Structure formats: structure tokens, C-alpha cells
Amino acid sequence: ISQGRIKETYTSQHGQTGEELEEGVCRDPGLVTEQQIVALDSHPLVKWVNRTVNTPAFISAFNSFVRCAASCVNKSGILIGTFKTMEFAGFRVEMQNLQLENLDSVNEIALLRPEVDSYHLINSLLLGQCENRTVSNASFISDCGPVTVSLGAVLHQETLGMMVDMNVTTKLKYISFTGGANILYDLNAMSRVSMPSLCSRTECAAAPFSAFSFYGFESSIGMDELKA
């Protein structure tokens, strides 16, 4: 569903592929060059991300940052008491006492990780699922635990003199997301795009892409406990 919506959004905004844009209003007909498709797995940025981000050490640092940010939010008290009020159809809803625990339980991060060939990049995030820790990253996420979300809500209907007080707590075993992109980027194509067309038509920036598609989009949530 996500992949279809992304493609639909791109098509509705641009309506053409890079080659179609280039052959239409974007190309400078006086310049002709051969294609030079970028091998993404050897690109310096992709190599740096895989060397720096996709590592247990980065997961440890990321979890430490999240833990610090959560501590600052909790100490500030901005989510204690009524922090949001909404009104609709004669009802007023007051959101209260939001508490988040174990957000620092990131188990896996993969950003721009090459797979299949030089032109496919996969991204994934796994939060929780502590029982599946690997030997290589176990020491970095020793405090891993189920993500816990607690939220209170008060529903008012003044005409009927009604008030309903609700409190919900849920524990999630894991939250995961995976999605990839197949990218064929012609390094020489930008030289075929005329500067006036690039300035007047933003879609001409897509001309160097010989192909661009998403694949493998999946997301899932594992429920451990729900209390209301």
C-alpha cells in the first residue's frame, strides 16, 4: 500500500520518467552523451553510511541519544497533565499524561544498505524484539525492553453532562519497518538538461534518473500487552 501511494504521488506530480522528461522539455538537443549509471554500492556517501551508521556502535549511540531526550522530556513535565485538547461534534477530548518507556531499544538499523546489485538500496529499522539480539550487538543493547506507551484521555459532553475518563497502557514487543529503492542514476544526464528548463520546471531535476522504483515496503507491530 505504501509503495503504491508513493508511486501514485510521484506520478501525479511529475507524470513522466526521467527519460521522457529528458526527451521532452528538459533536454538540450545540442548535447549527446553516453549513459554513465552510478554504482551506488561504491558511492562515497553510501560507503560512509554503511561504515558508520549500520554498526552496533551507532546503535548504542543512537539509543543513548534517545534515552537522554526521553529523560529531558520526562523531567520537563510537558506531557504530564493535559497537554492537548481537541473539540469535535460537541465533544471535548483532553489528552493527558503521556508516558513513553524503552524507546531506547533499537535493535537494528540499516540505512542505504546495498543488496541484489549495485543499484538496490534497502532501509530497515527494528525497535524491540530483544530476544533476537545477535552476539555482535548484544552488549550494545543490554537494556533492551518492550516499548511501553501510556496515555490518558478525558471525554466531555457538556450538554449531556457526560464525562468519561480513560487510561490505556500498551506494551509492544517490537516495531519494524523495511523498504528499498531501485535507482538508476545517469551521471552524464545532468549535462543534457538545459539550465533554463531546470530553473523553470522543477520536474527536470528528475531527468538523470533512468529508473526509480520502490520495493519491499513492510511494517509490523507486535503487541505484548494492552490494558485499559
Side-chain angles (χ1 to χ4, degrees):
I1 295 176
S2 299
Q3 181 178 357
R5 288 179 178 174
I6 291 172
K7 286 183 176 180
E8 181 181 349
T9 301
Y10 180 87
T11 302
S12 66
Q13 290 180 350
H14 301 288
Q16 297 169 292
T17 65
E19 293 180 354
E20 290 170 340
L21 286 168
E22 190 179 343
E23 292 297 334
V25 299
C26 297
R27 187 180 66 171
D28 184 345
L31 294 174
V32 179
T33 58
E34 295 182 357
Q35 281 192 332
Q36 183 182 350
I37 304 300
V38 176
L40 298 176
D41 56 350
S42 60
H43 191 277
L45 175 60
V46 175
K47 293 175 69 175
W48 179 85
V49 169
N50 281 273
R51 186 174 62 249
T52 306
V53 177
N54 301 341
T55 63
F58 181 85
I59 292 176
S60 176
F62 184 83
N63 283 331
S64 296
F65 172 78
V66 172
R67 189 180 306 118
C68 179
S71 177
C72 292
V73 171
N74 290 334
K75 289 180 180 180
S76 69
I78 60 175
L79 299 179
I80 303 301
T82 301
F83 63 88
K84 178 69 174 179
T85 300
M86 300 177 291
E87 296 186 5
F88 62 94
F91 290 90
R92 186 175 80 254
V93 181
E94 298 176 355
M95 311 301 292
Q96 301 179 342
N97 303 326
L98 176 62
Q99 297 182 3
L100 303 172
E101 299 178 5
N102 293 326
L103 290 179
D104 55 340
S105 297
V106 173
N107 195 347
E108 177 185 320
I109 294 178
L111 182 64
L112 303 181
R113 185 181 65 198
E115 67 169 12
V116 182
D117 54 27
S118 299
Y119 314 108
H120 288 75
L121 300 176
I122 192 73
N123 305 280
S124 65
L125 175 68
L126 175 61
L127 184 66
Q129 204 168 23
C130 307
E131 65 275 12
N132 289 343
R133 288 176 293 179
T134 64
V135 174
S136 62
N137 68 13
S139 61
F140 291 98
I141 53 175
S142 58
D143 296 330
C144 184
V147 178
T148 303
V149 181
S150 300
L151 179 65
V154 181
L155 178 66
H156 298 270
Q157 218 299 331
E158 297 181 357
T159 303
L160 301 176
M162 181 181 68
M163 184 182 74
V164 180
D165 193 352
M166 300 173 289
N167 291 281
V168 178
T169 299
T170 180
K171 291 185 178 181
L172 305 176
K173 294 183 65 175
Y174 66 87
I175 302 174
S176 68
F177 169 81
T178 303
N182 177 25
I183 304 172
L184 297 180
Y185 185 87
D186 184 2
L187 198 60
N188 291 334
M190 187 56 73
S191 64
R192 297 195 297 265
V193 178
S194 64
M195 187 57 65
S197 63
L198 186 62
C199 295
S200 61
R201 300 178 65 97
T202 56
E203 63 267 27
C204 287
F209 290 95
S210 299
F212 190 102
S213 62
F214 297 96
Y215 68 94
F217 272 76
E218 295 181 358
S219 60
S220 60
I221 297 177
M223 186 73 70
D224 185 40
E225 182 179 339
L226 177 63
K227 293 182 180 180

